[in-house]
Amino acid sequence: MTQQIQSASDEAVRERVESLLAEMTVAEKAGQLTQYFYMGFMRDQAKDGAPSQPEMVEAAMTRSGVGSLLFLMDPAEINRLQRMTIEGNRLGIPALVGFDVIHGFRTVLPVPLAMAASWDPAVIEQGQAVAGREARAVGIHWAFSPMVDIARDPRWGRIIEGAGEDPYLGGKVAAAQVRGFQGSDLSSPDNVIAGPKHFAGYGAALGGRDYDESNISDAELWNIYFPPFKAAIDAGAANIMSAYMDLNGVPAAGNRWLLTEVLRDSLGFEGFVVSDAQAVHDLFTHHFAADLADAGARALNAGNDMEMTFVDPAFDHLVAAVEDGRVSIETLDTSVRRVLTAKVRLGLFENPYVDEARAAEVLVDPAHRQVAKTAAQRSAVLLRNEGELLPLAADELSSVAVIGPLADSPRDTLGPWIFDYDLAETVTILDGIKARAGEGIDVQYAPGIRPAFRTFPSMFDAWPNNTPEDPADFDDDAELAKAVELARASDVAVLVAGEWQNMIGEGASRSSLELPGRQLELIQAVVATGTPVVLLVMNGRPLDLRWPAENVPAILDIWYPGSQGGKAVAALLFGDDSPGGKLPFTWPRTGGQVPIIYNYTRSHKPNDQWRRDWDEESTPLYAFGHGLSYGSFSYSAPTLSSESIAVGETLTVSVTVTNEGSRAADEVVQLYIHQRYGTSSRPVRELKGFQRVPVEAGASATVEFTLGPDELSYWSAVTRDWVQDATTFDLGVGGDSTVALSTQFTVTA
Ligand code: GLC
């Protein structure tokens, strides 16, 4: 059934695409389905007579055109290669330029997990709108973002790129990012295609080991891993990137059930699918495909429209595959239509080049830095604040010690997965505290310890500044003593600890969650001085904070807060703003508890009545949705529009939250439900609503939620379909996932 034409522009786009397609040869069609890395710095790395990587790409441009290029950031270089592409193919079809714009381009935003911790879709949308505007300004048309992989195992380094463990929060975050990137019109010079990734189940890698297989039940796929992709698709995402790994024994890039039956037939995706890097070629490496020709044919037939390739493309064999019947011309045309539709919607035929002068202006727009600062402030999560040590009273302080190498590291302040950043303009935590403290407070810094290092190189070490410097002639004992003495002599010690940014992200899984290096020793030594300590955690996964959680009065998770990180953190420390973020994951006490999630099923021996581990508490260190503020919130009992509804009907839940503290603050009001019985066992609680609301001291705010089939249905392994049971629900509304579910309602058949 052809979809009702939403607008004349859709018809115009369709006609333009069909007329192009009708003129194209099979070779030109196949050319549109290949996306090449263009690694200019490898030009002089030709070996044994073969062309260098960039020369291989340029040859493809002039042979039959290229569908897309990636890993380009400079507007002049992009214009040069775009011209070469257009002039290199008979029909003058331009290339799509894609790039990893994950959390900012030149203006670096807090990492995606931090943005999710804001529980603020509006600030997330603003952030990605800035990122999309800067990217499009330099000639990038497509962001390989948002990463929407649910992560329930924080040993997996890519947890940092997503929105944590929960499908409801993940869906809201994904949709906000897509809106931010794409805006309302892809032909606008401020918008780019959003490319949610990696479809699907990548975050369930065996043991949290990046790239390893994911074995996921159908119920988990439909209830946990697919929903954020569905939300991104419903928000209009024009691209999807398929995943690297085997999903239940079938590599995602060659998985027709996944890429066609699920993604298109069930989730309704109509855009184009790109593989991850070399993932089509690597169907051969998986020992799934017999050779590259088999790999290319099976990927295309599965619904993987475009191959992201670095070298030796499998899609170079597509013409032969069409000739020998392994790929039908209809299948080829379907994929080419999807890619051409994206190019026409972006307006690339009319405007294939960018204005380099405008690009330079957009990249330094001060309004972008303000958005980044606000995002960093709203992402921070106050984990502990014993005795209300925070906020610091500047007028009562005369000296502040800032301790730990991460406090003075611009590169780590920015986090992983960025390439066009400006280290000089990055505001470190130390910079921020110095600037905010002003003349009246003596702020001194001591690293205390040397940085910690990975046991093997990061895949990003080809780029500068990716690994910390190991300081020459660093006297470990003397430096530790110096930091301790500085803390002892100061009114307060602000200590930054966590992971270095090359320890988290792709190819950065870990077997433990301990603080790397001598950081715990440093924390213990500083606490032992008796000076009050504020611990700032710089991280992209939960870390083992069992000792600090008992011994450090104030703990603020600042993540990797981006270009304006120091300004944002200082504003929070000195009370110019209150932290209001909440955890987007369950924080384990130790790596041995992993995976530990909040939405597990009840079992015959409920966890709250029967401990699990004899050697450790069975509860997390901090709960999903946990986060304090400088306010103090109390909740009324929820009121329901009805105690009973029929299947298919909706009810509203209303609750009043009061700030009984002395400072204004935001509260993220969270709604959780539990289904008591039905077709399947259901989680002890599930997030089904949230709103971040500002509440002045002494004031109240009333928040309403709607519950209906969207929130109350689930996919059941019994019926192997979506069901909404007639049953009883328990419900609770509060500031984190430990809220008592003390309100009931029933759903009748
Ligand atoms: C990487 C990542 C993917 C990224 C792509 C291009 O290996 O898996 O997220 O977008 O390659 O850099």
Side-chain angles (χ1 to χ4, degrees):
M1 188 267 283
T2 53
Q3 192 168 6
Q4 187 60 31
I5 290 151
Q6 283 98 3
S7 67
S9 69
D10 281 10
E11 189 49 34
V13 168
R14 196 165 296 143
E15 281 171 11
R16 183 82 178 275
V17 167
E18 289 310 321
S19 69
L20 266 172
L21 198 65
E23 292 186 66
M24 294 169 77
T25 66
V26 171
E28 288 167 339
K29 292 175 180 176
Q32 287 303 307
L33 303 185
T34 304
Q35 174 186 55
Y36 291 93
F37 279 86
Y38 187 88
M39 310 304 258
F41 64 87
M42 297 179 76
R43 178 167 291 283
D44 58 359
Q45 293 176 20
K47 51 181 183 292
D48 31 298
S52 67
Q53 201 275 344
E55 287 166 338
M56 179 269 286
V57 180
E58 289 165 9
M61 286 175 185
T62 51
R63 186 173 58 240
S64 49
V66 296
S68 174
L69 298 167
L70 78 145
F71 253 87
L72 297 165
M73 292 171 267
D74 173 68
E77 177 71 344
I78 292 174
N79 278 340
R80 178 181 78 83
L81 292 168
Q82 185 66 285
R83 191 174 311 283
M84 193 183 284
T85 300
I86 291 169
E87 292 169 0
N89 73 88
R90 188 170 61 86
L91 297 169
I93 300 173
L96 265 174
V97 178
F99 193 50
D100 290 286
V101 184
I102 310 299
H103 56 109
F105 182 68
R106 173 65 58 80
T107 303
V108 179
L109 304 166
V111 291
L113 190 64
M115 298 278 272
S118 73
W119 293 54
D120 185 344
V123 88
I124 293 168
E125 181 174 340
Q126 284 161 12
Q128 295 302 34
V130 163
R133 181 162 186 261
E134 293 185 357
R136 190 70 188 261
V138 303
I140 293 166
H141 312 119
W142 166 23
F144 307 139
S145 191
M147 190 275 223
V148 299
D149 300 303
I150 292 290
R152 308 176 114 181
D153 184 337
R155 294 171 295 182
W156 187 56
R158 302 197 77 169
I159 183 175
I160 189 174
E161 296 174 51
E165 79 184 54
D166 182 75
Y168 186 88
L169 175 63
K172 297 296 184 190
V173 171
Q177 294 204 50
V178 170
R179 291 194 302 269
F181 279 125
Q182 297 196 170
S184 57
D185 173 6
L186 286 177
S187 68
S188 154
D190 291 339
N191 298 334
V192 294
I193 282 177
K197 65 187 184 183
H198 309 74
F199 197 68
Y202 182 25
L206 188 64
R209 288 178 293 276
D210 203 3
Y211 308 142
D212 276 351
E213 68 205 78
S214 291
N215 295 300
I216 308 174
S217 71
D218 285 341
E220 269 185 308
L221 282 169
W222 287 108
N223 292 315
I224 303 292
Y225 292 90
F226 291 156
F229 284 98
K230 173 68 176 157
I233 291 163
D234 290 351
N239 165 260
I240 288 278
M241 182 185 293
S242 57
Y244 278 130
M245 83 293 141
D246 284 333
L247 174 62
N248 300 329
V250 183
N255 192 325
R256 180 168 179 82
W257 172 79
L258 186 67
L259 300 183
T260 295
E261 293 174 41
V262 173
L263 182 60
R264 297 190 185 280
D265 302 346
S266 294
L267 302 185
F269 180 62
E270 296 181 333
F272 71 103
V273 172
V274 68
S275 75
D276 205 335
Q278 288 294 84
V280 177
H281 175 285
D282 287 344
L283 292 178
F284 179 49
T285 316
H286 277 268
H287 291 174
F288 174 78
D291 53 31
L292 285 186
D294 184 38
R298 291 168 74 181
L300 196 72
N301 287 330
N304 199 105
D305 302 304
M306 182 181 273
E307 174 186 22
M308 180 190 290
T309 181
F310 180 76
V311 69
D312 211 2
F315 276 9
D316 272 359
H317 304 274
L318 276 187
V319 174
V322 171
E323 283 160 3
D324 68 22
R326 278 190 287 183
V327 169
S328 71
I329 193 66
E330 291 74 24
T331 299
L332 184 71
D333 286 353
T334 299
S335 293
V336 177
R337 264 192 202 94
R338 292 167 180 157
V339 172
L340 293 178
T341 298
K343 295 185 175 183
V344 172
R345 287 183 63 197
L346 282 161
L348 295 194
F349 290 86
E350 291 73 31
N351 300 300
Y353 307 109
V354 289
D355 173 343
E356 292 157 35
R358 176 179 177 274
E361 286 167 24
V362 169
L363 292 184
V364 295
D365 187 337
H368 295 180
R369 275 48 173 189
Q370 185 53 42
V371 167
K373 176 175 179 287
T374 302
Q377 278 168 220
R378 298 178 76 76
S379 300
V381 180
L382 185 56
L383 298 174
R384 192 176 196 236
N385 195 20
E386 285 304 296
E388 297 193 339
L389 174 57
L390 291 178
L392 302 175
D395 53 358
E396 293 168 12
L397 292 175
S398 57
S399 57
V400 172
V402 178
I403 295 171
L406 289 171
D408 188 29
S409 168
R411 183 67 193 83
D412 292 293
T413 306
L414 297 175
W417 267 120
I418 46 150
F419 301 92
D420 189 72
Y421 53 84
D422 178 345
L423 283 187
E425 79 151 311
T426 303
V427 184
T428 65
I429 307 310
L430 176 60
D431 297 336
I433 292 173
K434 278 182 174 170
R436 176 59 186 74
E439 294 308 311
I441 300 178
D442 177 25
V443 178
Q444 295 297 322
Y445 166 68
I449 55 171
R450 65 179 67 227
F453 298 89
R454 292 170 50 124
T455 56
F456 66 87
S458 156
M459 62 190 287
F460 295 105
D461 283 351
W463 278 271
N465 311 305
N466 194 54
T467 52
E469 295 287 318
D470 195 358
D473 57 47
F474 185 91
D475 181 333
D476 296 86
D477 295 340
E479 287 295 342
L480 183 58
K482 197 188 298 181
V484 169
E485 277 323 303
L486 176 63
R488 196 188 313 282
S490 302
D491 295 336
V492 68
V494 177
L495 202 161
V496 184
E499 285 184 309
W500 277 260
Q501 64 80 29
N502 67 339
M503 297 176 168
I504 184 86
E506 184 173 356
S509 296
R510 274 189 80 179
S511 65
S512 86
L513 300 179
E514 279 143 31
L515 287 166
R518 299 179 63 186
Q519 296 185 101
L520 182 57
E521 185 184 344
L522 175 63
I523 294 169
Q524 291 169 332
V526 168
V527 167
T529 65
T531 297
V533 178
V534 177
L535 173 62
L536 301 180
V537 188
M538 191 175 273
N539 61 321
R541 59 161 59 97
L543 296 169
D544 184 340
L545 295 186
R546 281 177 291 179
W547 193 87
E550 296 295 323
N551 299 283
V552 178
I555 304 175
L556 180 66
D557 197 328
I558 60 169
W559 315 102
Y560 301 94
S563 303
Q564 302 295 304
K567 277 188 195 161
V569 169
L572 297 174
L573 288 176
F574 288 97
D576 303 336
D577 188 9
S578 166
K582 301 283 185 178
L583 291 179
F585 52 69
T586 300
W587 192 300
R589 294 172 184 278
T590 164
Q593 285 185 307
V594 167
I596 183 169
I597 55 177
Y598 87 92
N599 50 357
Y600 57 89
T601 56
R602 192 165 157 75
S603 86
H604 78 294
K605 285 276 190 193
N607 189 303
D608 52 2
Q609 296 164 16
W610 186 269
R611 276 188 55 171
R612 292 312 193 252
D613 303 321
W614 63 261
D615 62 345
E616 182 54 89
E617 293 288 334
S618 299
T619 54
L621 187 64
Y622 300 114
F624 173 80
H626 169 72
L628 306 176
S629 72
Y630 296 155
S632 172
F633 295 103
S634 63
Y635 284 78
S636 72
T639 53
L640 308 184
S641 57
S642 168
E643 306 293 313
S644 175
I645 54 174
V647 166
E649 292 182 338
T650 63
L651 67 82
T652 57
V653 181
S654 174
V655 75
T656 298
V657 57
T658 301
N659 181 354
E660 307 194 3
S662 58
R663 288 174 172 271
D666 285 6
E667 171 69 325
V668 179
V669 179
Q670 302 160 46
L671 166 68
Y672 293 89
I673 63 171
H674 167 61
Q675 177 175 315
R676 284 198 190 171
Y677 58 88
T679 309
S680 298
S681 300
R682 300 300 299 138
V684 290
R685 55 188 63 225
E686 293 175 279
L687 177 72
K688 291 294 182 184
F690 67 87
Q691 279 184 44
R692 178 165 177 158
V693 290
V695 190
E696 290 299 320
S700 297
T702 297
V703 175
E704 279 206 354
F705 299 101
T706 301
L707 288 176
D710 287 349
E711 292 75 27
L712 305 178
S713 304
Y714 64 94
W715 193 93
S716 167
V718 172
T719 61
R720 301 195 61 72
D721 200 351
W722 292 91
V723 298
Q724 184 185 352
D725 291 319
T727 180
T728 299
F729 282 89
D730 298 306
L731 171 150
V733 182
D736 67 41
S737 62
T738 64
V739 63
L741 306 186
S742 47
T743 302
Q744 283 75 39
F745 67 93
T746 57
V747 176
T748 57

